[in-house]
């Protein structure tokens, strides 16, 4: 009797309890969030140009990755899209491109703007621009697009601050008195932006392809840049001075789908000598280690006029300086690998007949430089 009463009571308790996981008839129905349609949601992205990375890319330079390049998707045909752009610091602008890369519109330059468009379905591009080297922030807002605009990936390669040394740069000549760098373009038919800046002296900038052919050049002031569309491959840039012997520091930047920036290794040596009389000469041998390599020879004397003769290994003349002066140089764009002779000669004049001392400096890719 006692056990029967206990089980009856237990069954009553169990029947009166709600099973775990069973819905409570008096509990409120849970609210399921309604999915947010990205088309009716403002999509915002921000960006900033900073001095350490060279600032902005220029209002009319729509292909440079110094400016901000974004892809965005339009889901429906004849879609209403609003583009808004603001900056608290600087004037900004944008350029809009369709899925085929054709330009739809270029905005004016302002700190705040907004404009409606009707766009077809597909992946579009918008480029946010500022003045070249401008520093500041922006916010891009787009309404009617399918998700947030996505920045197109790119890289910035920098040389850090370098200098041309106490002997200065090589001017417009292809010379290792200037500095050479190689870098890789990693995508075909992409734009690269190469810039060179010096706080001290006017610069020159030369870009060469994989075959050593000149692609483009820029020279004149203390800042210069070139923007080009190029194929995938390894390229060489010569960071030089505008005038031979100019002294100063510089920084090289390369923007785009690029990588693997490396300084080209070269050698230089300076020797002193003397001639007992006018017409005397000394001969040095040098082993060039790389094919199609520039060779720069500089000769000077405070006492007597000088000349340079470049010869092959058996003494046949290959090149020479044309005039007898107290300082001269020979800049050969390409020499093949092998042994060469450098003959340095005193050249007497009516007022400078010798004897005399001289200084010889050689820049290039070489080894085993010695007097014979």
């Amino acid at each position: 009797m006692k056990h029967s009463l206990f089980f009856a009571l237990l069954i009553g308790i169990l029947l009166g309890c709600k099973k775990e996981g069973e819905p409570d008839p008096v509990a409120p129905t849970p609210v399921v969030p309604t999915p947010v349609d990205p088309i009716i949601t403002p999509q915002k992205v921000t960006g900033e140009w900073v001095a350490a990375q060279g600032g902005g890319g220029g209002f009319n330079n729509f292909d440079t990755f110094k400016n901000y390049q974004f892809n965005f998707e339009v889901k429906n045909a004849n879609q209403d899209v609003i583009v808004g752009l603001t900056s608290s610091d600087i004037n900004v602008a944008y350029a809009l491109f369709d899925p085929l890369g054709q330009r739809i519109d270029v905005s004016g330059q302002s700190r705040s703007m907004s404009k409606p468009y009707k766009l077809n379905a597909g992946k579009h591009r918008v480029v946010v621009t500022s003045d070249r080297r401008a520093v500041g922030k922006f916010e891009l807002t787009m309404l009617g697009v399918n998700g947030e605009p996505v920045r197109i990936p790119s890289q910035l390669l920098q040389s850090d601050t370098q200098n041309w040394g106490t002997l200065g740069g090589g001017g417009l000549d292809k010379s290792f008195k200037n500095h050479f760098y190689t870098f890789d373009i990693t995508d075909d038919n992409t734009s690269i932006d190469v810039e060179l800046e010096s706080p001290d002296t006017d610069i020159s900038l030369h870009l060469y392809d994989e075959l050593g052919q000149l692609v483009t050049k820029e020279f004149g002031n203390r800042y210069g840049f070139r923007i080009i569309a190029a194929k995938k491959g390894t390229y060489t840039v010569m960071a030089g001075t505008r005038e031979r012997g100019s002294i100063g520091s510089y920084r090289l930047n390369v923007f785009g789908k690029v990588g693997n920036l490396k300084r080209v290794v070269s050698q230089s040596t300076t020797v002193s000598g003397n001639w007992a009389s006018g017409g005397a000469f000394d001969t040095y041998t040098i082993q060039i280690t790389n094919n199609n390599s520039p060779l720069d020879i500089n000769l000077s004397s405070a006492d007597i006029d000088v000349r340079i003769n470049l010869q092959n290994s058996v003494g046949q003349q290959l090149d020479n300086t044309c005039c007898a002066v107290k300082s001269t140089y020979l800049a050969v764009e390409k020499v093949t690998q092998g042994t060469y002779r450098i003959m340095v000669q005193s050249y007497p004049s009516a007022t400078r007949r010798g004897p005399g001392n001289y200084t010889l400096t050689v820049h290039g890719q070489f080894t085993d430089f010695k007097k014979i």
Side-chain angles (χ1 to χ4, degrees):
M1 182 69 178
K2 186 185 294 185
H3 290 293
S4 299
L5 183 61
F6 172 78
F7 280 113
L9 182 61
L10 180 60
I11 292 170
I13 293 172
L14 291 173
L15 289 173
C17 293
K18 180 176 69 73
K19 295 181 181 179
E20 185 177 353
E22 187 177 82
D24 188 343
V26 297
T29 303
V31 177
V32 179
T34 303
V36 177
D37 187 347
I39 292 178
I40 63 173
T41 304
Q43 305 292 337
K44 295 184 179 183
V45 290
T46 60
E48 181 178 7
W49 293 282
V50 296
Q53 297 180 353
F59 281 116
N60 296 318
N61 300 327
F62 305 128
D63 292 326
T64 176
F65 284 94
K66 281 199 76 174
N67 288 323
Y68 278 74
Q69 309 266 348
F70 297 97
N71 285 328
F72 66 93
E73 184 182 356
V74 175
K75 191 173 182 179
N76 304 314
N78 205 31
Q79 175 70 49
D80 289 315
V81 173
I82 298 176
V83 180
L85 181 63
T86 60
S87 173
S88 60
D89 310 305
I90 55 174
N91 282 347
V92 290
Y94 66 85
L96 196 60
F97 296 84
D98 69 15
L100 297 178
Q102 300 299 310
R103 193 167 67 198
I104 297 171
D105 191 23
V106 177
S107 75
Q109 301 170 18
S110 175
R111 295 196 177 192
S112 181
M113 65 198 75
S114 181
K115 187 174 180 179
Y117 298 91
K118 282 192 177 292
L119 301 181
N120 291 321
K123 183 183 288 187
H124 295 64
R125 179 167 64 105
V126 60
V127 185
V128 180
T129 67
S130 68
D131 203 3
R132 188 81 185 183
R133 304 166 75 190
V135 174
K137 301 177 181 180
F138 70 86
E139 181 178 79
L140 173 68
T141 303
M142 305 192 78
L143 184 62
V145 299
N146 190 32
E148 185 177 290
V150 177
R151 189 174 180 186
I152 301 173
S154 65
Q155 291 74 41
L156 164 60
L157 308 178
Q158 294 184 295
S159 68
D160 297 326
T161 300
Q162 304 290 327
N163 68 80
W164 288 287
T166 57
L167 298 177
L172 302 182
D173 292 309
K174 192 174 185 181
S175 163
F176 276 108
K177 280 177 68 68
N178 295 321
H179 294 173
F180 290 81
Y181 295 82
T182 60
F183 66 93
D184 297 329
I185 298 179
T186 57
D187 283 18
D188 267 330
N189 301 317
T190 186
S191 289
I192 61 167
D193 187 325
V194 184
E195 67 177 8
L196 182 65
E197 180 178 13
S198 171
D200 311 303
T201 188
D202 292 345
I203 57 91
S204 63
L205 176 67
H206 293 71
L207 182 67
Y208 303 91
D209 64 16
E210 289 187 296
L211 300 177
Q213 300 299 311
L214 180 65
V215 176
T216 187
K217 62 183 178 180
E218 172 75 17
F219 53 86
N221 298 316
R222 296 188 177 189
Y223 174 81
F225 70 95
R226 301 298 291 174
I227 301 170
I228 64 161
K231 297 179 180 178
K232 182 190 298 186
T234 300
Y235 290 73
T236 301
V237 58
M238 184 177 76
T241 56
R242 175 67 176 85
E243 301 293 338
R244 185 178 177 88
S246 293
I247 296 171
S249 63
Y250 70 87
R251 188 175 69 177
L252 173 71
N253 293 330
V254 183
F255 301 83
K257 296 188 177 183
V258 293
N260 200 28
L261 181 70
K262 295 189 296 186
R263 172 87 178 269
V264 178
V265 177
S266 64
Q267 293 74 41
S268 66
T269 188
T270 298
V271 296
S272 298
N274 61 82
W275 297 294
S277 61
F281 63 89
D282 288 335
T283 303
Y284 296 81
T285 61
I286 188 172
Q287 183 72 33
I288 301 298
T289 57
N290 294 65
N291 276 323
N292 300 319
S293 178
L295 179 63
D296 189 297
I297 307 165
N298 196 99
L299 179 64
S300 62
S301 173
D303 310 311
I304 193 168
D305 291 341
V306 297
R307 294 183 67 178
I308 302 170
N309 284 277
L310 178 64
Q311 304 170 345
N312 63 16
S313 59
V314 295
Q316 294 175 324
Q317 182 172 292
L318 303 176
D319 207 343
N320 68 292
T321 54
C322 67
C323 306
V325 290
K326 64 179 180 179
S327 181
T328 189
Y329 74 94
L330 194 61
V332 184
E333 281 201 6
K334 293 181 181 180
V335 289
T336 57
Q337 189 175 13
T339 301
Y340 294 82
R341 294 182 180 183
I342 300 172
M343 188 176 75
V344 293
Q345 183 179 11
S346 62
Y347 200 88
S349 65
T351 57
R352 293 160 56 87
R353 305 189 63 84
N357 299 315
Y358 66 84
T359 300
L360 171 66
T361 301
V362 180
H363 290 81
Q365 293 178 305
F366 63 86
T367 187
D368 199 24
F369 177 82
K370 60 187 178 183
K371 185 178 179 180
I372 59 173

